[in-house]
Amino acid sequence: MQFQKQMMGIPAARGKEYEPIPQSGSLDSGDDAIPVAQYFRQSFGAWILLRDSITGGTMGNRKTITGLSLYKENRSGSGSVAMTNQYIKMAHCTDVAFPSGSLDPTGATAADVSLSNILTLTDETTVYSGNITFTGPTGEWTDKITFDTPFKYNGKDSVAILWINAHNNYFFNRFEWGVVNGATGSRMLHQESDAIDVEDMTAFRSSILPQTKLYY
């Protein structure tokens, strides 16, 4: 019987999902479209997921995070949006908000942009590097963005996510992501430009956060 089971194959365990910043309301991020702006040639967005929002939910403690989704709240136009040169990074973080002052992430190229000079980070990992195509109707989560390198969450720290958009072109048929407003502290950092490379941008802090789903 055991041999028969092996020959037939046992289905792999299905992945699970959890929303540390759940979908709620109908507020969208507008043209700035944090965390990834499609109406500007280049942009970046970084946000902090507090420890309690991760460990306090069904995701539990130590997990391997295999991907994420954003919520498609609104858009201008129709059709797919194919973005090249996208980088997503994750790191353990002991900060609960971004500091005040002029904030310039470090890094000489788009791929090198990092929050390590702004936040106290460990295990910073480029979890995704490549192209991403967004499609489908609004009012739902994007398809899972499956990480090239899953992030091993340690179960005790907050998590900082950094999304770098170096596509170098803009989309009139952009998506506008679902956000929540009024988060305690400035847990969002973002900037968008048609003229400045992403590695040279100075960022704005915000209390607006993108609705976020993680997979593990």
Side-chain angles (χ1 to χ4, degrees), residues 2-177:
Q2 182 65 30
F3 178 77
Q4 289 179 336
K5 287 183 178 179
Q6 291 175 352
M7 291 294 292
M8 293 173 62
I10 304 299
R14 295 185 62 185
K16 298 181 180 180
E17 57 192 54
Y18 174 61
E19 300 172 21
I21 306 178
Q23 191 281 321
S24 63
S26 58
L27 183 66
D28 67 58
S29 52
D31 291 350
D32 290 347
I34 61 173
V36 53
Q38 299 171 332
Y39 196 51
F40 293 86
R41 291 182 178 275
Q42 298 193 41
S43 66
F44 74 83
W47 65 111
I48 298 172
L49 303 178
L50 299 180
R51 174 188 179 277
D52 290 347
S53 72
I54 301 174
T55 60
T58 57
M59 188 169 156
N61 294 319
R62 295 188 180 185
K63 299 291 183 183
T64 298
I65 302 173
T66 61
L68 67 77
S69 291
L70 302 176
Y71 192 79
K72 298 179 291 183
E73 182 62 49
N74 204 349
R75 73 172 309 181
S76 175
S78 60
S80 62
V81 175
M83 306 184 73
T84 61
N85 300 319
Q86 304 297 296
Y87 306 92
I88 302 174
K89 299 185 178 185
M90 298 184 73
H92 293 115
C93 174
T94 56
D95 305 89
V96 296
F98 286 98
S100 60
S102 178
L103 301 178
D104 302 305
T106 187
T109 68
D112 295 330
V113 171
S114 170
L115 302 172
S116 60
N117 63 323
I118 297 173
L119 300 175
T120 303
L121 304 180
T122 56
D123 308 313
E124 186 176 31
T125 304
T126 300
V127 295
Y128 186 87
S129 173
N131 305 332
I132 301 175
T133 297
F134 297 101
T135 189
T138 58
E140 65 180 26
W141 293 95
T142 63
D143 290 339
K144 176 185 177 182
I145 301 168
T146 301
F147 293 160
D148 306 318
T149 304
F151 183 75
K152 295 183 179 180
Y153 176 57
N154 64 13
K156 63 179 183 179
D157 291 329
S158 297
V159 171
I161 303 176
L162 171 62
W163 190 317
I164 303 155
N165 165 32
H167 177 71
N168 207 32
N169 206 345
Y170 52 84
F171 297 90
F172 289 109
N173 61 334
R174 64 191 182 276
F175 283 94
E176 297 174 357
W177 313 113

